[in-house]
Amino acid sequence: MNTSLSIALVAAIGAAAIYALSHDTDEAAPPASAQVAGGPIVSVRIADTFTASAQVGKQIFDAACANCHGQNAAGRNGMGPPLVHKIYEPSHHADAAFMRAVQYGVQAHHWNFGNMPKQGGLTDGDVKSVIHYIRELQRTNGIE
């Protein structure tokens, strides 16, 4: 191979590697546990602090939602989708969509987890607190 061609090839590969390392992708790579049944589907960064409403929302989420949507809304492989995901950004799934999902259930349309049944035992205030928690997690993870 021509020496100048080899140098150009090495330089191009190096530039591509530097570019790839210095630019974020649209989605964070899923954790290794995404391959494990019930494991988280996405990696979620946690805010240092949450508002009072989001703190209440976290408690409700942990009790009523985490079984399917995972700890910190990271999803659960084979169980339910991550809510800290660009699909659920406010411009695509407004807060009202979360309210309707809890009240009426949702037909599967973005994921292959099956339909979400309606969820009983939660007040509108409970769901609003959960939404605050999810939105704060989303903002911490660059989803706005």
Side-chain angles (χ1 to χ4, degrees), residues 13-57:
I13 291 171
I18 290 169
Y19 178 85
L21 290 172
S22 65
H23 289 79
D24 292 330
T25 58
D26 286 342
E27 295 180 47
S33 59
Q35 303 303 315
V36 177
I41 296 171
V42 298
S43 295
V44 176
R45 289 185 308 274
I46 309 301
D48 292 333
T49 61
F50 287 105
T51 62
S53 180
Q55 289 175 25
V56 170

Side-chain angles (χ1 to χ4, degrees), residues 70-123:
Q71 292 298 309
N72 302 308
R76 290 191 67 203
N77 188 32
M79 311 264 320
L83 301 176
V84 179
H85 191 281
K86 67 181 183 177
I87 286 176
Y88 298 104
E89 65 188 356
S91 65
H92 189 255
H93 284 85
D95 294 356
F98 285 97
M99 294 292 290
R100 283 190 305 275
V102 171
Q103 292 172 339
Y104 305 111
V106 179
Q107 278 194 323
H109 57 285
H110 290 299
W111 307 91
N112 294 322
F113 295 106
N115 298 335
M116 176 182 154
K118 67 180 180 177
Q119 303 297 302
L122 297 172
T123 68

